[in-house]
Amino acid sequence: MLTISLVAAVLLMSASAVQAEGTLHHRHSFFSSLPVEPTDENFKVARHRVQVIGLDGFREWEVKGSLEGILSPNVISSKASGNAHVQWFDSRAPLLRPPFTPTFVPGFHLAIPSEGFEKTWNYLCPVLDELVGGVECKDAEDALESASQSSVQAKDFIALHHHHYLHKTANPAGFLSSKSALASLISKQSGSSSGPAMIDLVLQSSTTSPRSIQFKLKVIWPVGNSAGKDQKSTVTVQFDETTDSVTEVGWFYREVTERENQQNDHFLGATVRLDSKGEEVNEALILARSPVFPPHKRDFSTGNIKFYGHGFSSTMSPPQTFHPHSITTIRSNPYIQKTTEGCDLHVLQVLPAGIFVDPFQLESLAPEIGASTVFGETDLEKPVGVVPGWGSLVMVKVQPEESVKTSRWIESENATTSEKTTTYTSTVDIPMHMRYQPPVAEEDPVTHAKVAVPWPIVAWTCPLSLPDEAVGKKLFQISPLPLSLLFRKSASEADQETVEFRFLLPDPIPKVYPEASVSVPVGRLEDLMVVRTTTFVLAAVGTLSVAWALGKAFAGRTTGKGKQD
């Protein structure tokens, strides 16, 4: 066992003491996927340093403080205002397992409050560009023609519940490049870890200092076998007296439990607090509400479900059409009734520019699929090449008690145990529509374009069970964008939570976040002249026909009036 200088049950959280301006507060949380205890061999504590050896699992680094000293002095304006929230999830990274929320839509997300958006954007744009990279700060009309279309621009945002929000599936050009300050910060902390799997960054202009921006950054890495590495990992965390006020380090593992309806996560381990006074080691016992429902337990060899937990699957049907349906099937065991009392079930689908929903159609289908909310571009006449922004999103509030078409209790026989099992199944069928894709060149053999759509986020939203102060300090929990934006009462606090989310995992759990796809036919450039000519001729014939009909009707009316006279 690890030598304990002071035996206590503590929750690793931010220090209550107010820190001096310009200092950084670090929190390094290491989670072991296996129930491995920290010892003097794998959790070595020395003067202003902690070494974590042989961990297999995940690592979270949180740091907060001021951007002064991190960014160039001329980047931060004297007229500080507003806040911003950046989130990024690597689609190539291994799907994060509990206790981390594994339901982030891959790609780059950015949210800025709608109130005073232009002022905030003009102020924070150069800050974001130097901090994360890939941000275009020039006005659309002044931007160079060579500017990358994949960069983040003001025109890419859509209005979304008190915020302006954008999402990019591909990384913006220059994002986390060697020139970005954020990449430099992460590289100093990565150690022997692989690249980050997730980044969550909140910026808030200071209310006391006109040239100060406060930030809160969280970065998650897979470590050891979870990162696809067989060799023994070693991560060194150090306390720097010149820049840091406090550095906290914790090794945690989940207490094994057989309760399938478990609502809380129990973490055991040890924590170390490093500051200018020295080191303080404590045992840790943490009780937190689990952010995910237990998944189905499957037979390792056959893949059949041995015991029902909770999960969902999604598909686009049919796979080749202009009018597909996004069909999400949710399956849960009977414990779902007790553990979600007072909660609502939501399905959030983030859609690229090549696909959209008709809000009027969804409104008419509310009795079948539940009430829906749509944000973003829904103009069915626009081809994908002229759609402003990045796309749209639709959220459905599933109504399991009010719609026999979307939910039912079913009794089935387990293929492995031959036992009768009652499960709860809810199916959300969202009709969608494809946009016309850009035509391809004559030498290009492609006949169809494939539009990839990430699987939706499926979550129950529940009233807060803990005070706001405690909720914000939970370990291993980050609410995903854009879902968290839809439940904020206001945009005044970028990281303030108003509800608790409990997520369902994709089933079966894949290695990377899954996506569905739809194929649509594409036109050919060599047919463009024929199409234009045909369109012009048909339009001209139609116009002449209408004019001829109107003229004939007018002439007949004049002749009839003359006869009456």
Side-chain angles (χ1 to χ4, degrees):
M1 288 292 294
L2 181 70
T3 303
I4 304 300
S5 62
L6 178 62
V7 179
V10 299
L11 172 64
L12 185 61
M13 60 177 61
S14 303
S16 58
V18 177
Q19 304 298 330
E21 192 78 15
T23 59
L24 300 179
H25 187 135
H26 299 266
R27 186 180 73 177
H28 301 263
S29 305
F30 295 84
F31 172 74
S32 176
S33 299
L34 300 175
V36 177
E37 296 181 352
T39 68
D40 290 328
E41 298 301 319
N42 58 23
F43 197 56
K44 296 184 176 182
V45 181
R47 174 66 177 172
H48 288 176
R49 187 180 69 177
V50 176
Q51 270 193 324
V52 180
I53 303 171
L55 181 94
D56 179 17
F58 300 95
R59 173 193 178 192
E60 177 189 83
W61 167 50
E62 177 185 310
V63 57
K64 56 184 179 180
S66 172
L67 287 178
E68 292 183 56
I70 297 176
L71 299 181
S72 304
N74 60 332
V75 170
I76 302 177
S77 169
S78 59
K79 299 179 180 179
S81 64
N83 57 65
H85 193 168
V86 177
Q87 207 167 80
W88 174 80
F89 183 59
D90 187 1
S91 61
R92 301 167 299 173
L95 184 68
L96 302 183
R97 300 293 196 274
F100 299 111
T101 304
T103 51
F104 293 90
V105 176
F108 176 89
H109 306 258
L110 174 58
I112 294 176
S114 294
E115 185 177 355
F117 170 75
E118 291 187 5
K119 179 180 178 181
T120 302
W121 174 254
N122 291 334
Y123 166 64
L124 288 182
C125 185
V127 173
L128 288 168
D129 187 42
E130 180 166 332
L131 193 58
V132 303
V135 181
E136 175 59 62
C137 297
K138 297 179 180 179
D139 295 333
E141 57 270 20
D142 297 332
L144 298 176
E145 295 182 1
S146 59
S148 174
Q149 293 299 312
S150 64
S151 62
V152 174
Q153 303 178 49
K155 65 181 183 64
D156 295 334
F157 288 85
I158 66 169
L160 178 66
H161 192 63
H162 308 306
H163 290 80
H164 276 49
Y165 165 79
L166 68 82
H167 168 248
K168 286 184 177 292
T169 304
N171 292 343
F175 175 68
L176 288 188
S177 67
S178 58
K179 297 180 180 179
S180 70
L182 185 59
S184 177
L185 283 176
I186 293 175
S187 65
K188 293 178 182 178
Q189 300 292 337
S190 60
S192 58
S193 303
S194 59
M198 210 210 99
I199 296 172
D200 184 81
L201 172 66
V202 176
L203 301 180
Q204 177 73 52
S205 57
S206 175
T207 56
T208 57
S209 176
R211 290 186 59 87
S212 176
I213 301 177
Q214 300 299 308
F215 77 100
K216 181 179 180 181
L217 171 67
K218 285 188 178 183
V219 184
I220 295 177
W221 294 269
V223 182
N225 290 334
S226 297
K229 296 183 177 181
D230 296 329
Q231 67 267 30
K232 207 172 185 179
S233 63
T234 300
V235 179
T236 301
V237 177
Q238 293 184 324
F239 171 76
D240 188 339
E241 289 187 280
T242 61
T243 59
D244 305 337
S245 60
V246 176
T247 297
E248 297 172 307
V249 187
W251 175 304
F252 305 96
Y253 64 95
R254 175 181 275 166
E255 183 181 22
V256 178
T257 175
E258 296 180 355
R259 294 179 59 189
E260 287 299 315
N261 63 330
Q262 187 71 40
Q263 296 189 51
N264 297 315
D265 283 328
H266 297 256
F267 299 105
L268 303 177
T271 65
V272 181
R273 177 187 172 93
L274 308 175
D275 57 25
S276 58
K277 299 178 182 179
E279 297 73 40
E280 180 181 315
V281 184
N282 295 283
E283 286 184 339
L285 171 61
I286 299 176
L287 176 65
R289 186 177 176 90
S290 176
V292 297
F293 286 96
H296 303 305
K297 291 187 176 180
R298 294 181 175 271
D299 185 87
F300 182 77
S301 57
T302 64
N304 295 328
I305 295 178
K306 296 174 61 176
F307 303 102
Y308 280 99
H310 313 269
F312 76 95
S313 60
S314 186
T315 185
M316 284 288 184
S317 180
Q320 184 173 315
T321 180
F322 273 103
H323 304 284
H325 285 240
S326 173
I327 302 175
T328 301
T329 303
I330 305 163
R331 299 174 70 185
S332 295
N333 63 29
Y335 290 121
I336 199 73
Q337 285 186 309
K338 181 179 180 180
T339 57
T340 59
E341 186 175 353
C343 305
D344 295 317
L345 177 60
H346 293 86
V347 174
L348 176 66
Q349 191 98 52
V350 178
L351 304 174
I355 188 169
F356 68 99
V357 296
D358 183 345
F360 300 104
Q361 182 183 20
L362 295 185
E363 185 177 355
S364 66
L365 293 175
E368 297 182 16
I369 67 172
S372 60
T373 307
V374 181
F375 299 94
E377 185 57 67
T378 59
D379 189 341
L380 74 165
E381 299 293 338
K382 292 182 178 179
V384 68
V386 298
V387 174
W390 50 268
S392 59
L393 59 86
V394 54
M395 184 174 72
V396 174
K397 180 181 177 182
V398 185
Q399 300 172 333
E401 302 302 327
E402 301 178 15
S403 174
V404 296
K405 287 190 176 184
T406 61
S407 58
R408 55 199 170 111
W409 287 98
I410 60 174
E411 186 176 69
S412 59
E413 184 175 296
N414 192 301
T416 305
T417 63
S418 299
E419 296 179 355
K420 295 290 185 179
T421 305
T422 300
T423 59
Y424 178 78
T425 299
S426 183
T427 302
V428 180
D429 186 337
I430 305 177
M432 298 188 176
H433 309 278
M434 307 299 297
R435 297 188 186 277
Y436 292 111
Q437 300 294 310
V440 297
E442 180 179 357
E443 61 275 8
D444 195 332
V446 173
T447 60
H448 288 75
K450 186 174 77 171
V451 179
V453 181
W455 276 23
I457 294 176
V458 179
W460 289 86
T461 57
C462 306
L464 290 175
S465 60
L466 294 172
D468 290 350
E469 306 84 48
V471 171
K473 298 170 184 174
K474 286 182 180 179
L475 296 176
F476 314 125
Q477 297 188 30
I478 302 173
S479 297
L481 295 177
L483 179 65
S484 58
L485 299 178
L486 300 173
F487 295 92
R488 292 179 185 168
K489 296 179 181 179
S490 68
S492 58
E493 295 292 338
D495 58 350
Q496 182 179 5
E497 301 294 346
T498 57
V499 297
E500 282 188 319
F501 298 107
R502 294 204 70 193
F503 298 91
L504 277 74
L505 307 184
D507 178 62
I509 298 178
K511 292 183 178 180
V512 296
Y513 199 79
E515 63 181 21
S517 60
V518 184
S519 295
V520 291
V522 294
R524 312 199 67 80
L525 286 176
E526 63 266 28
D527 299 330
L528 183 59
M529 186 56 67
V530 176
V531 172
R532 284 179 174 175
T533 303
T534 304
T535 303
F536 176 79
V537 171
L538 292 177
V541 170
T543 302
L544 292 174
S545 298
V546 171
W548 179 80
L550 290 174
K552 186 176 180 181
F554 180 78
R557 184 177 179 182
T558 304
T559 303
K561 185 177 180 181
K563 290 182 179 181
Q564 289 180 0
D565 294 341

